[in-house]
Amino acid sequence: MDLGIIGQAAGLFAVTNIDDILLLALFFAQGADHPGSTRRIVLGQYLGFAAILAVAVAAAFGATCLPESAIPYLGLLPLALGLKSAWQAWKDHRGGDEAEGEEPAKEGGPGPLEVAAVTFANGGDNIGVYVPVFATSGIGGMTVYAVVFLVLVAVWCFAGKFFATRPVIAKALARWGHILLPLALITIGLLILIEGGAFGL
């Protein structure tokens, strides 16, 4: 296995996914003290990134399963989830003890589909970077890229969990996470929409 390709794959992943560590830390902070939340977040991250890889590989082989003009509209996913999260935080804040009493009845923290949707939408621009790289690297090189990327998803999840559990960061996220997560999701959604020129923006 060519160490040069492994290094290139690792570098490409790091450059295109650096913002995911912040999102993962926010997700892990939101899921703190909820059993099974780590598993759901990691599963969601893998689902979302696998979808990014699938689209990029298909496009590299000439299949356009996701038209380029549709990519900017992926911003609607994190935007909608951010607004939903903000609404939930506002309801919890107003509900006080009532909301706390209802919490044990359901699983807390973000669900795998929510994490997957944000990961996929946030990775829309990654697809544009991955396609030419995959197209010129051949099946062998593409396989190496895919394997390295999937290994690094686990590293990213570990890093997000690590940051979310550092005492100083955990304290800040526990205090402000309910505001930061919706804000981050809404900002990402708007940036994807605006930079991609969705709705003529």
Side-chain angles (χ1 to χ4, degrees):
M1 196 176 277
D2 189 347
L3 291 177
I5 295 180
I6 293 174
Q8 289 169 19
L12 182 62
F13 181 90
V15 168
T16 54
N17 292 285
I18 196 70
D19 52 342
D20 275 358
I21 292 180
L22 171 63
L23 281 174
L24 282 165
L26 288 168
F27 280 137
F28 281 120
Q30 189 185 48
D33 302 323
H34 295 291
S37 67
T38 297
R39 185 183 70 250
R40 292 192 296 275
I41 293 166
V42 171
L43 174 61
Q45 185 71 8
Y46 266 102
L47 286 173
F49 198 81
I52 291 170
L53 270 182
V55 171
V57 168
F61 282 117
T64 54
C65 50
L66 188 68
E68 196 172 324
S69 59
I71 289 177
Y73 294 95
L74 291 175
L76 292 171
L77 288 171
L79 180 61
L81 290 168
L83 291 171
K84 179 188 168 198
S85 185
W87 171 251
Q88 189 61 49
W90 182 76
K91 274 187 11 183
D92 288 348
H93 177 71
R94 288 203 49 176
D97 294 335
E98 277 180 46
E100 287 174 21
E102 292 168 8
E103 191 64 35
K106 59 173 187 170
E107 287 185 330
L113 293 180
E114 180 182 349
V115 176
V118 172
T119 301
F120 183 72
N122 193 37
D125 55 338
N126 295 18
I127 294 168
V129 176
Y130 297 162
V131 170
V133 174
F134 287 177
T136 57
S137 60
I139 293 176
M142 200 184 304
T143 304
V144 174
Y145 272 97
V147 170
V148 171
F149 284 2
L150 291 172
V151 168
L152 288 176
V153 167
V155 174
W156 249 234
C157 288
F158 176 81
K161 177 82 171 178
F162 176 82
F163 286 123
T165 54
R166 295 309 88 199
V168 174
I169 298 172
K171 188 175 178 183
L173 290 177
R175 184 171 182 184
W176 300 106
H178 66 289
I179 294 171
L180 291 175
L181 181 61
L183 189 61
L185 294 177
I186 290 168
T187 302
I188 287 168
L190 289 174
L191 284 174
I192 293 170
L193 289 169
I194 292 167
E195 287 177 5
F199 304 113
L201 296 172

